[in-house]
Each structure stands twice: as C-alpha cells, then as structure tokens.
Amino acid sequence: MTAENQALLRVRDLGKSYGGIIGCAEVTFDLWPGEVLAVVGESGSGKTTLLRLLHGQLTPDRGDVCFRDRSGDMVDVHKMSEPARRLLTRTDWAFVHQNPRDGLRMAVSAGGNVGERLMAIGARHYGQIRENALDWLARTEIDAARIDDLPATFSGGMQQRLQIARNLVTQPRLAFMDEPTGGLDVSVQARLLDLLRGLVQELGLAAVIVTHDLAVARMISHRMVVMQRGRVVESGLTDQVLDDPQHAYSQLLVSSVLRP
Amino acid sequence: MDKTLRDADVLRVADVEKTFTLHNQGGRVLPVIQGLTFNLAPGQCLALRGPSGAGKSSVLRMIYGNYRTPKGHIQVRHGQGGDGNGAAASWVDVARATPQEILMLRRDTIGYVSQFLRVLPRVATLDLVKDPLLRLGRGDGAAEERAVSLLSRLNIPDRLWSLSPVTFSGGEQQRVNLARGFAHAYPLFLLDEPTAALDAANRRVVVELIQEAKAAGSAVVGIFHDTEVRDAVSDRGLDIEDYQWSGAAA
Ligand SMILES: Nc1ncnc2c1ncn2[C@@H]1O[C@H](COP(=O)(O)OP(=O)(O)OP(=O)(O)O)[C@@H](O)[C@H]1O
Ligand SMILES: [Mg+2]
C-alpha cells in the first residue's frame, strides 16, 4: 500500500459536550491525501467544535483523531505531547481562521507574517526567507510592493489571502479552514475561493473546510458531511449530497438556497 | 472483479430503481423508475426516450454517481485503456462505490455533458477545456492542442478563449461544455441534451464528435430531443416509460 491510498486523518467516534449540551457526537470519518472535505450545517450545528477537536485545540470527551505523519506512522493528536502538536501546527498543518486578524500577527509586516512561519521551523537565511515570502505573496496575488506594509493597511480580502500565504508557505499536508470566505464581499469571495481551489489542487493539499455556504462547498470540496445538532446526519460525494440529499435536514438546507 | 459480466460490455445496468422522498413536503414519495436493465458495448450509442419528467436525466445522473442508486446495480468497466495497453479492467458498481471510486471513474472512464455549464468565475475557457486532460496527467502541450482543436471546431472564436465563460451566451456555454466533455476519449459518455441550445451548424459538429467517439470505441448513453441528431448517432433506443414505477416492488 502506498501513502496515496492510506488515510491521512482518521476520526473515530469523536464527541464533546459543554455541560449538558452536545458540541459534537459520534463523528467518524477518514480523510484521504489530497481530499477536500466540507463540513456544512447551520450555525450552532457543531462545525467549529469539530474543527477544533480535529486540530487538537479542544480535548474530546471520547473518541480519537489520528494523523499520518511524514514517516507514515499514525499519531494520536490528543495523546501526543504539547510540543509535538505545536510542531505539527507549524509544519504539516495549516489553520485558516474566518477572521484574518485571528490568524495574522497584526503588528508584523506582510513579509514578516509569511517569513515567521519559515523561521519557526528553522529557516535562518534572510535572503531566502524574503525570496520565499515574495513568492507566496505573488501566489496569493498580493502586490510585491506591499511586502513591508502592515496587514492592517490591507483590505479584508487581502488579509485573508495573506493568512493563506502565511499558512501554506511551510508546504503543509493538511489544512483546517473555518469559514475562510465568511466575512468577505461576494466578489472578493469568488476570487479567494478560486485561488484556494487552485492552490489546493496544485499542492495536493488535504483540507477540512467548515462552511455554511453550500456554493463554497460545491466549488471546493470533493466530499461533504452535513451536521445537525452536533451529529453527522449525511455524508458523501459533494455533488451527490447537494443534488440528491437524503436526510430531511440536508434537503432543508439545499432547498433554502438557490441552486448551490 | 465480477466474472459474470460479459467482457465486451462497458456498462451494465441491472434492476435499477429510483424514488425521491421529499421529507419537507410531508414525506411525499416520488416514484421514478423500477427494474431498469440494459447493457452497453463499446462503440454503441443508446438513446433514452420518454416524455418530460419520465426520469431520463435521473438515469444519467445515477450512472455518473450524481444521484444515489438505492436499489440495483450500475456496473462500469474501469481501467482498460482504449489503446489496449493491457491494464487489467475491473468493474465498479456505482450504486455501491465509495466517493473515491466515483471520482476515479469520472476522471478516467465516464464523461458527462449536461445542457448547462457550471461556470467557475475567473477560470479561462481554454483552461476549463484542458483541465480534464491535465487531471489525467497529459502534458500541457498536448492538452492545449486538443483544447484548441475542439474550441475551433465548435466555433468558439479565439478571442473568447482567455475569458471565463461566465458572460457567454447559453449556446456558447453549451459548446464550451461540449469541448470540455469531449477533450478526453472516455470509454463511456453520458450526454443530456447536448444540442439543446445549438444552431444547425454546431449540431452537425456535435453529431460528428459523437460519431468519432463511437468509432474510436466509446460507448454513449444519450438524451437527444432532436430526432435528426438521435437518428444520426444512436444504434438503439430505450423507452424509459417501460420502466415506470408500477408500485409493486419486485
Ligand atoms: N433531485 C431531485 N429531487 C427530487 N425529485 C427529483 C430530483 N431530480 C428529479 N426529480 C424528479 O424525478 C422525475 C424525473 O426527472 P428527470 O429530470 O429525470 O426527467 P427527464 O425525463 O429528464 O425530463 P425532461 O425531459 O423534462 O428533462 C421528475 O418528476 C422530477 O421532478
Ligand atoms: Mg432531462
């Protein structure tokens, strides 16, 4: 078996409640290398809880999340040491927040935001770091002339693209994204989505993308899970779930929007 | 691999049933088809016939894995290059396949052209047509050559090639969709009214494309409202109404 046909992320019976309220329950799925999984559902359905459990920011009450590291071993995200998990979040993993301010260092220049991730994994050569930062600004369609500007001087769409550059510069294998196009105008959203789609394809990146926007899910994901009240009520090929939804809740979601 | 399947077939549909349950409309059950069974060999074109709403498009969508198949089998032969490169063929039952298997079938084996193009903003027409070939690992040059040839044949002026089809007319979008659909010589084509928005000259081009694909060994399941097109390309027809839901499940 090659790495290509082994799961990159294995999630089993994952559950978390807050007091008596279910955050998420009985979530089980595999994510394959290069595969993009969309997690959809209304607000409060447990999408972000799930994402934070996968990423190890939250500790589950039950179940486990295993990730295949670069040497091919499955490691339990919630049993590894904190330094080991931090290393993962800086190298093999990316996390794109809905609000770019949560994912950027606002007091550091655009170039610095990108270069910082490289330095965190040991890059020291200033010229190379700057070169690499410039390359990623270009790939995320940010004018090279803005490299020394602070993110606060950028538009929302540019900030989000900078956050993506900062995350992808270390060539991660898995990205977690929480409503990556959430706070943006429709026209800016389309551009960002298109950029993300291209990058994901080009890098062979696997991703879990939380979104309440079914059109975003359609455009960017291969597979989809629909969550309601913390549980996965339906999952499958994205276009199959959108075009022939089986569960009452999926049908309601799909029928509430115009042709996602 | 299922040994009972005739090696000569590309597609084997057996006892397929489809209903839609509308949970948010009082749980109404919409019966569509029942007992649908047919086989298809390479180079053959089967035309699905029947009145509007009979379930023709639903059948194509089930074969493509876009609609679920709750009962029956849809076996698609996968993995034998049309060039006879000897790679072992296997059968994939779309009714039970994993999402990964369906995506693999769509990349290598099944081409689907619907009446409408799902346009992505900002992707140039030329790239849209090259895309399926690049996914198959073809070189950029070969992909471009094929894309240029198809766009030209389908009379898309070259000044439009670098634009996204977002702003194109319905007929132009359909032709881009056809160019993309025919870029690769899929062993199985599914065509849902591929000439609906086209003028006579472009209809003729589509007929030629289908005939060439068949001559090269591709099988086709199509819905053709234009009887002239249908007569020119299909070898046999299938009346979907013969498989209308009778109520009593077999
Ligand atoms: N996703 C869906 N959910 C619910 N019902 C559906 C869905 N898709 C199709 N149907 C219903 O299934 C029946 C068959 O539709 P289908 O589109 O397959 O017909 P058709 O033979 O292609 O018709 P036409 O010639 O008008 O294109 C119709 O009653 C339609 O309303
Ligand atoms: Mg139809």
Side-chain angles (χ1 to χ4, degrees):
Chain A
M1 252 198 174
T2 66
E4 285 308 300
N5 47 39
Q6 289 184 310
L8 185 66
L9 195 69
R10 200 175 60 209
V11 181
R12 293 291 177 270
D13 192 28
L14 204 60
K16 169 86 184 169
S17 20
Y18 305 101
I21 299 158
I22 292 175
C24 85
E26 293 171 31
V27 176
T28 291
F29 66 86
D30 288 325
L31 184 75
W32 303 84
E35 186 180 47
V36 179
L37 177 78
V39 180
V40 305
E42 291 168 317
S43 77
S45 58
K47 306 186 298 291
T48 299
T49 298
L50 173 61
L51 199 69
R52 299 183 61 202
L53 286 169
L54 299 179
H55 191 248
Q57 297 169 24
L58 267 181
T59 307
D61 300 336
R62 57 181 297 168
D64 49 49
V65 179
C66 291
F67 174 71
R68 191 173 303 281
D69 67 17
R70 282 188 197 231
S71 53
D73 297 325
M74 273 318 231
V75 291
D76 188 324
V77 171
H78 295 284
K79 294 210 175 91
M80 66 174 74
S81 69
E82 190 51 27
R85 196 185 69 83
R86 274 183 189 283
L87 184 66
L88 259 192
T89 64
R90 285 201 300 257
T91 53
D92 258 0
W93 287 3
F95 196 102
V96 177
H97 296 263
Q98 172 170 5
N99 187 343
R101 288 171 175 273
D102 297 332
L104 290 172
R105 294 234 292 150
M106 298 305 284
V108 175
S109 72
N113 262 286
V114 180
E116 197 178 57
R117 278 266 295 194
L118 289 170
M119 286 164 68
I121 57 166
R124 288 293 171 264
H125 189 284
Y126 177 78
Q128 264 164 25
I129 292 171
R130 194 169 169 92
E131 193 72 12
N132 216 330
L134 274 170
D135 177 45
W136 271 95
L137 291 182
R139 290 170 83 165
T140 49
E141 302 174 3
I142 296 170
D143 188 347
R146 304 296 302 268
I147 187 166
D148 295 318
D149 294 350
L150 291 178
T153 67
F154 286 10
S155 69
M158 280 171 78
Q159 288 182 5
Q160 197 56 302
R161 279 180 274 131
L162 182 62
Q163 191 191 182
I164 289 164
R166 174 180 161 93
N167 269 277
L168 298 189
V169 68
T170 55
Q171 312 264 353
R173 293 189 297 144
L174 173 60
F176 300 93
M177 305 193 195
D178 194 357
E179 303 277 6
T181 60
L184 304 172
D185 292 341
V186 178
S187 64
V188 180
Q189 260 186 31
R191 176 174 184 190
L192 186 80
L193 213 57
D194 192 56
L195 181 90
L196 264 180
R197 212 174 46 89
L199 288 173
V200 161
Q201 222 174 70
E202 192 184 316
L203 305 173
L205 188 67
V208 180
I209 299 187
V210 161
T211 178
H212 68 271
D213 187 333
L214 300 183
V216 167
R218 158 104 60 191
M219 210 166 133
I220 204 162
S221 70
H222 302 107
R223 211 150 49 87
M224 184 158 124
V225 300
V226 181
M227 291 190 73
Q228 182 193 28
R229 291 195 289 269
R231 290 170 197 276
V232 173
V233 295
E234 182 162 357
S235 67
L237 206 59
T238 294
D239 63 78
Q240 201 180 58
V241 175
L242 290 175
D243 294 337
D244 188 12
Q246 304 292 304
H247 192 274
Y249 181 66
S250 322
Q251 290 187 356
L252 189 66
L253 278 185
V254 170
S255 65
S256 338
V257 292
L258 299 164
R259 239 179 103 78
Chain B
M1 180 169 166
D2 188 339
K3 295 275 195 290
T4 62
L5 295 167
R6 274 180 37 225
D7 230 24
D9 290 333
V10 175
L11 171 66
R12 188 160 181 173
V13 174
D15 205 22
V16 161
E17 186 175 299
K18 183 70 180 167
T19 57
F20 292 101
T21 305
L22 311 177
H23 290 291
N24 299 299
Q25 293 179 55
R28 282 250 322 276
V29 176
L30 217 85
V32 183
I33 53 162
Q34 189 179 40
L36 180 70
T37 300
F38 66 86
N39 297 344
L40 196 62
Q44 289 271 307
C45 175
L46 175 74
L48 302 182
R49 292 182 307 223
S52 175
K56 304 179 296 295
S57 296
S58 300
V59 169
L60 290 192
R61 286 167 177 264
M62 283 191 279
I63 299 171
Y64 198 55
N66 175 232
Y67 280 3
R68 296 188 202 238
T69 303
K71 184 168 175 288
H73 301 275
I74 298 178
Q75 307 266 14
V76 176
R77 187 165 61 164
H78 174 74
Q80 187 145 43
D83 51 352
N85 58 13
S90 60
W91 291 91
V92 178
D93 186 353
V94 177
R96 282 162 191 72
T98 62
Q100 290 78 19
E101 287 173 319
I102 292 176
L103 291 174
M104 171 188 81
L105 279 180
R106 291 179 182 180
R107 186 192 61 202
D108 300 339
T109 304
I110 311 179
Y112 172 73
V113 182
S114 72
Q115 196 177 328
F116 302 101
L117 178 67
R118 198 173 272 284
V119 207
L120 295 169
R122 299 214 318 150
V123 179
T125 295
L126 191 64
D127 293 329
L128 209 60
V129 178
K130 283 163 68 177
D131 180 59
L133 294 170
L134 298 178
R135 282 173 196 269
L136 280 158
R138 302 294 155 76
D140 190 71
E144 176 128 351
E145 200 175 307
R146 176 76 182 148
V148 162
S149 135
L150 281 163
L151 287 168
S152 309
R153 279 184 75 181
L154 286 157
N155 302 302
I156 302 286
D158 55 9
R159 63 187 153 78
L160 296 182
W161 296 356
S162 59
L163 303 179
S164 155
V166 178
T167 56
F168 290 9
S169 73
E172 283 168 344
Q173 290 194 358
Q174 184 167 28
R175 280 179 282 142
V176 173
N177 215 10
L178 281 157
R180 179 179 159 94
F182 279 94
H184 174 53
Y186 296 99
L188 176 61
F189 281 96
L190 308 173
L191 308 176
D192 195 340
E193 303 187 35
T195 60
L198 303 187
D199 57 28
N202 283 303
R203 268 203 306 275
R204 271 194 299 280
V205 177
V206 176
V207 167
E208 283 168 24
L209 286 173
I210 297 171
Q211 285 168 340
E212 286 167 21
K214 285 174 61 189
S218 294
V220 180
V221 185
I223 303 166
F224 310 102
H225 278 178
D226 186 306
T227 48
E228 219 172 286
V229 172
R230 186 197 298 165
D231 292 344
V233 299
S234 68
D235 303 286
R236 57 194 169 109
L238 186 142
D239 285 306
I240 286 291
E241 279 187 301
D242 293 347
Y243 299 92
Q244 238 179 14
W245 188 271
S246 64

